[in-house]
Amino acid sequence: MDARTAEPLLEISGLKTYFKTDDGTVRAVDGVDLAIGRGEVLGVVGESGCGKSVTAHTVLKLIQMPPGKINDGRILWQGRDLVPLDLEEMRKIRSKEIAIIFQEPMTSLNPVYTVGEQIAEVVREHEHASRREALDRAVEMLRLVQIPTPERRVHDYPHQFSGGMRQRVMIAMALSCNPKLLIADEPTTALDVTIQAQILDLLGEMKERFGMAIMLITHDMGVVAETAQRVVVMYAGRVVEEASVEELFDRPLHPYTQGLIRSIPRVDRAADQRARLEAISGTVPSLLDPPPGCRFAARCKFATAACTQAAPDLREVEPGHKVACILY
Amino acid sequence: MSQYLLRRLLIAVPSLLGISIILFTILALAPGDPFGELATNPAVPPEVRAALREKFGLNDPVYVRYLRWLMAMSQGDWGFSFVSRVDVDVLILQRLPTTLIVIGASQVLALLIALPVGTYAATRPYSLFDQVANTLAFVGFSLPTFFTGIVFILIFSVTLDWLPFVYRSEIDATGFAFVWGHIKQAIMPVAVLGLFQGASWTRFVRSAVLDVVRLDYVTTARAKGLAERVVIMKHIVRNALIPVVTLVALQMPIVFGGAIVTEQIFRIPGIGSLLISSILANDTPVIMAVTFVFACLVILFNLIADILYGWLDPRISYR
Ligand SMILES: Nc1ncnc2c1ncn2[C@@H]1O[C@H](COP(=O)(O)OP(=O)(O)O)[C@@H](O)[C@H]1O
Ligand code: SF4
Ligand SMILES: [Mg+2]
């Protein structure tokens, strides 16, 4: 379906999340716009420290406030703004409508409760199910994420599972109340390569079955290429480019996107060549009181004096393809 | 589980043996013995003194006396107090309940303060509440119990005359007045000990909770849509208790030390004051027995902590 014509499921506009620290204000998310349609898989890419996790946490208001604060913007969930909602109202949305899984499966589960209890807890919270019903649902969910002998494993503690298996448990937990959107914040980053592929496959299968939309956050362009329909590229707290996957890989416009694509390891090249990837030189700048202008300027080979004057807006240069760079 | 318990109990036996050997040797080498007083008493002829020493085996080598003590002890014979002229076990059983009640009540008070205050402060770090709680905890932890005890007596007994400052084991009353009399005289010692421990445990609880609040699974718990109360009680406090249990168990010797001092100040007829008076009277069998009881209590609390620890943390298995 086309996310731009129908009303999107989630529409973030002008979102700013800042952290007050002793050294100054960290503008972790500084004017982010993005939208996700029903059942769509949106990839959100960018190097580490670009504000991807803060964006994801802000949607569910999981940011620690203070020091964090949503300074501006709207988060429209099916047309309703989440920013002004209080904790009680947010609780009804968490897991029930929007669920999230995290990067570190080893630490995302509470070590002192069985995985069954941790899944059942969500079901009891949102569906007022009895203990028995909730535990049955936990077994069923564990079966769906392909954990062998789920009726036995449901009574096991997290330390009895491997990293990949724990991420499956997290997915089971996240989907147990059939949410309309799953935010997956680097779900495979902490896992071995073979396990990564299995988890991505599982996410695909779960999407087939439950039909939820997925916001797949990653720093790995390869993961995006395999799973997403549309991609948002983030850099230093802002969206710098947005396009469909095909369009983005065929015609990357933003110099940062071009750099990211060039740095994808390619299996068809020899190992010694792969080691010499064309990585983008330099690092993500500090988001502590950043200077005006394009934040990529320090690393951009096309940068001109104009680039440091004012930040370029995200503009639609072709149908469905937006970019924030003065070159376009 | 029962096998684990059995193993822990078996480990406790050599520890207690070791402690008793050290205690016994130190006491044997220390100057003065129960007949020291007789030595300066001109009415007792030297032959009688020597005969008495021989009769009670005080001239034997230390290890012989230790083995004799151990044999008697293992058969339930705790010895005889030369000073009070009663069996040591009778003496201890008279005193122990009072000590246990005062210590127990004060530890309950300490937990009732430390758990809520430490948790509330840690969930709002650097807030006004946190800062006030921290300061009070620091003050409470820095003031020794003998000092606060005397201040309490000056305020509540001497100035206000609300509470008695001498503890009596017999209270001439019945029914409600009897219970109230006991409670009234226990208030100050329990408060002094409880506030002191409460202050130090508040700091433990706060830092343990602070360590847990930033962990990923707490974010997971919030992301589930659970109420904040459930997130705190079920996912934060429950996990923070694991290190707290260990710290509390390690503090038990300090607790008993504090109890001895407090018993002296409020003249509580517990085993702490029994220890002090027996030391002053050179009543070696009583000193030995009371210190040994303290050692047993410390080991018992460590055992309880081990069990609690395994119960709180499923990663520790009872194998
Ligand atoms: N609690 C916080 N306090 C201060 N700065 C923070 C906090 N959380 C995140 N940040 C900052 O926000 C920026 C974006 O972080 P994050 O969203 O985690 O990046 P990403 O997920 O893209 O790797 C980083 O510079 C990080 O240091
Ligand atoms: S705006 Fe200027 S500095 Fe920024 S990406 Fe475009 S050309 Fe480079
Ligand atoms: Mg991140």
Side-chain angles (χ1 to χ4, degrees):
Chain A
M1 72 165 271
D2 191 344
R4 276 165 295 120
T5 48
E7 182 193 74
L9 193 60
L10 177 75
E11 186 177 15
I12 299 175
S13 52
L15 187 67
K16 295 185 177 175
T17 305
Y18 296 170
F19 294 92
K20 280 257 187 305
T21 67
D22 291 341
D23 304 323
T25 304
V26 178
R27 299 172 185 245
V29 173
D30 205 11
V32 162
D33 303 301
L34 62 82
I36 303 175
R38 282 173 199 282
E40 186 186 29
V41 179
L42 176 76
V44 176
V45 267
E47 288 161 289
S48 184
C50 280
K52 306 181 299 291
S53 294
V54 173
T55 306
H57 282 67
T58 305
V59 170
L60 282 167
K61 297 232 202 115
L62 294 171
I63 300 290
Q64 268 198 34
M65 309 194 210
K69 186 168 186 285
I70 302 179
N71 276 57
D72 200 7
R74 291 191 305 174
I75 303 170
L76 294 184
W77 173 248
Q78 300 181 301
R80 177 192 190 201
D81 193 0
L82 301 183
V83 173
L85 294 195
D86 64 17
L87 182 60
E88 283 306 301
E89 288 174 293
M90 277 313 295
R91 280 180 45 211
K92 294 185 196 126
I93 289 170
R94 292 175 179 172
S95 276
K96 177 83 184 128
E97 300 194 16
I98 307 174
I100 185 167
I101 60 174
F102 305 103
Q103 179 171 344
E104 288 293 339
M106 301 309 277
T107 53
S108 299
L109 291 162
N110 192 329
V112 308
Y113 298 108
T114 62
V115 298
E117 164 59 19
Q118 296 188 60
I119 299 172
E121 186 178 34
V122 189
V123 180
R124 292 202 306 269
E125 177 69 37
H126 293 290
E127 299 184 3
H128 306 289
S130 71
R131 290 201 158 257
R132 185 72 251 167
E133 291 163 349
L135 202 63
D136 288 347
R137 174 82 61 85
V139 173
E140 185 193 328
M141 291 308 299
L142 287 182
R143 193 188 320 278
L144 282 177
V145 297
Q146 294 149 31
I147 287 182
T149 59
E151 52 292 310
R152 217 159 41 77
R153 296 294 264 162
V154 78
H155 300 297
D156 282 350
Y157 290 92
H159 71 273
Q160 293 163 296
F161 292 78
S162 66
M165 283 295 168
R166 289 193 212 185
Q167 198 62 293
R168 286 174 191 264
V169 171
M170 284 298 290
I171 293 171
M173 182 157 60
L175 298 181
S176 59
C177 287
N178 200 0
K180 296 190 182 76
L181 171 65
L182 173 68
I183 301 177
D185 187 357
E186 312 230 17
T188 60
T189 305
L191 303 174
D192 293 344
V193 184
T194 45
I195 312 288
Q196 285 191 11
Q198 291 172 13
I199 295 292
L200 289 176
D201 286 348
L202 178 69
L203 280 177
E205 281 171 42
M206 292 296 108
K207 192 188 134 35
E208 286 300 305
R209 183 177 182 101
F210 290 98
M212 75 282 179
I214 300 180
M215 177 170 164
L216 183 75
I217 297 174
T218 175
H219 63 267
D220 185 344
M221 269 291 186
V223 168
V224 167
E226 277 171 43
T227 45
Q229 294 157 10
R230 224 153 39 83
V231 188
V232 160
V233 182
M234 278 188 74
Y235 186 75
R238 293 192 178 142
V239 174
V240 293
E241 185 161 6
E242 181 194 326
S244 69
V245 177
E246 301 79 22
E247 172 83 4
L248 193 86
F249 281 88
D250 286 350
R251 289 192 342 113
L253 296 180
H254 199 281
Y256 179 60
T257 316
Q258 292 169 358
L260 284 180
I261 290 175
R262 270 198 305 273
S263 65
I264 303 176
R266 284 179 46 185
V267 225
D268 53 340
R269 290 196 199 154
D272 59 326
Q273 271 177 311
R274 245 185 287 158
R276 278 183 271 111
L277 293 174
E278 209 182 323
I280 315 165
S281 63
T283 51
V284 181
S286 160
L287 299 178
L288 195 67
D289 301 314
C294 175
R295 289 183 180 172
F296 190 57
R299 299 167 79 183
C300 179
K301 46 187 180 210
F302 307 106
T304 61
C307 298
T308 54
Q309 296 301 311
D313 285 332
L314 188 65
R315 288 193 310 117
E316 186 155 31
V317 290
E318 264 165 66
H321 196 155
K322 299 178 188 170
V323 64
C325 172
I326 57 160
L327 295 178
Y328 306 96
Chain B
M1 172 74 193
S2 57
Q3 226 189 354
Y4 169 86
L5 253 181
L6 195 69
R7 233 188 33 216
R8 297 299 316 203
L9 281 171
L10 287 181
I11 293 174
V13 172
S15 320
L16 283 174
L17 275 180
I19 292 171
S20 66
I21 289 175
I22 294 171
L23 279 176
F24 200 91
T25 314
I26 291 176
L27 286 177
L29 297 178
D33 64 46
F35 298 97
E37 198 204 335
L38 298 179
T40 52
N41 188 340
V44 182
E47 312 85 68
V48 177
R49 208 184 314 144
L52 272 175
R53 292 189 69 89
E54 199 58 49
K55 179 176 171 230
F56 286 102
L58 289 179
N59 291 333
D60 295 335
V62 175
Y63 71 91
V64 174
R65 277 147 63 193
Y66 173 73
L67 287 178
R68 199 184 299 131
W69 175 85
L70 191 64
M71 290 305 290
M73 189 74 174
S74 56
Q75 286 158 22
D77 175 8
W78 288 56
F80 182 77
S81 165
F82 302 111
V83 177
S84 311
R85 307 199 181 279
V86 280
D87 281 343
V88 173
D89 51 349
V90 173
L91 208 53
I92 287 182
L93 282 180
Q94 268 173 8
R95 305 293 198 101
L96 195 58
T98 312
T99 299
L100 289 183
I101 287 171
V102 170
I103 291 186
S106 62
Q107 301 315 297
V108 169
L109 174 68
L111 283 179
L112 286 180
I113 294 171
L115 284 178
V117 174
T119 305
Y120 194 84
T123 49
R124 287 159 193 75
Y126 310 111
S127 64
L128 183 66
F129 180 90
D130 185 34
Q131 287 173 359
V132 170
N134 261 333
T135 313
L136 286 181
F138 190 75
V139 171
F141 179 69
S142 313
L143 294 178
T145 43
F146 63 79
F147 178 77
T148 32
I150 290 169
V151 171
F152 270 47
I153 289 177
L154 281 178
I155 298 177
F156 297 105
S157 300
V158 179
T159 310
L160 296 172
D161 197 21
W162 286 351
L163 300 167
F165 65 85
V166 174
Y167 205 103
R168 288 169 302 156
S169 35
E170 310 297 330
I171 286 184
D172 316 322
T174 48
F176 177 76
F178 175 84
V179 175
W180 178 232
H182 269 290
I183 291 179
K184 234 165 103 172
Q185 64 183 1
I187 287 177
M188 281 201 296
V190 167
V192 164
L193 265 182
L195 290 177
F196 178 75
Q197 281 305 318
S200 103
W201 291 357
T202 299
R203 292 162 13 128
F204 290 167
V205 172
R206 178 182 181 272
S207 71
V209 170
L210 268 183
D211 283 343
V212 175
V213 282
R214 40 176 152 257
L215 297 181
D216 291 345
Y217 60 77
V218 176
T219 310
T220 305
R222 294 212 168 87
K224 288 175 174 183
L226 303 178
E228 194 58 19
R229 177 180 44 82
V230 179
V231 173
I232 290 177
M233 297 309 294
K234 183 170 174 184
H235 290 276
I236 297 177
V237 172
R238 171 66 209 276
N239 287 273
L241 279 180
I242 297 170
V244 169
V245 163
T246 316
L247 286 169
V248 167
L250 287 176
Q251 287 255 306
M252 275 343 266
I254 300 178
V255 171
F256 290 128
I260 294 175
V261 174
T262 315
E263 286 190 1
Q264 278 310 102
I265 299 167
F266 294 100
R267 318 219 195 127
I268 300 172
I271 58 169
S273 52
L274 177 63
L275 178 66
I276 305 274
S277 59
S278 58
I279 289 174
L280 293 178
N282 266 326
D283 196 354
T284 322
V286 180
I287 304 176
M288 183 66 207
V290 173
T291 4
F292 193 67
V293 166
F294 275 127
C296 289
L297 286 175
V298 168
I299 284 181
L300 174 72
F301 277 101
N302 274 300
L303 188 64
I304 293 175
D306 275 339
I307 294 169
L308 272 180
Y309 199 78
W311 176 68
L312 284 171
D313 190 345
R315 285 165 297 185
I316 315 286
S317 65
Y318 290 119
R319 267 182 294 112

